[in-house]
Amino acid sequence: MKVEEKIETGSHTDSKFSVVYSSGATTKSINVDYSSASLECTLAKGAWVEVKLYGCNGRWFLANLVEVEIEGTVTED
């Protein structure tokens, strides 16, 4: 599964961040653990990221790749 969204909260010391998105009139968040991921970026609040997920441990979605997207670019899988 792939998620593309802006980082809303995060901690670089415990390798976790959250992204928030709208689903209709509801706002939801996805909590991401990137401790096992390859990072192709410098993460910061407000950065637009593409995250490839491989599973979930009950509370956190587990990422195996995190990339910061540069605004105005198009990526292909």
Side-chain angles (χ1 to χ4, degrees), residues 14-44:
D14 65 358
S15 300
K16 294 180 171 88
F17 63 81
S18 296
V19 294
V20 176
Y21 67 96
S22 295
S23 177
T26 305
T27 300
K28 299 181 179 187
S29 67
I30 294 174
N31 298 315
V32 177
D33 179 337
Y34 64 94
S35 59
S36 298
S38 295
L39 296 177
E40 297 183 3
C41 56
T42 300
L43 299 177

Side-chain angles (χ1 to χ4, degrees), residues 37-43 49-50 64-69:
S38 295
L39 296 177
E40 297 183 3
C41 56
T42 300
L43 299 177
V49 292
E50 178 179 314
N64 57 1
L65 178 65
V66 179
E67 299 174 312
V68 167
E69 297 292 312

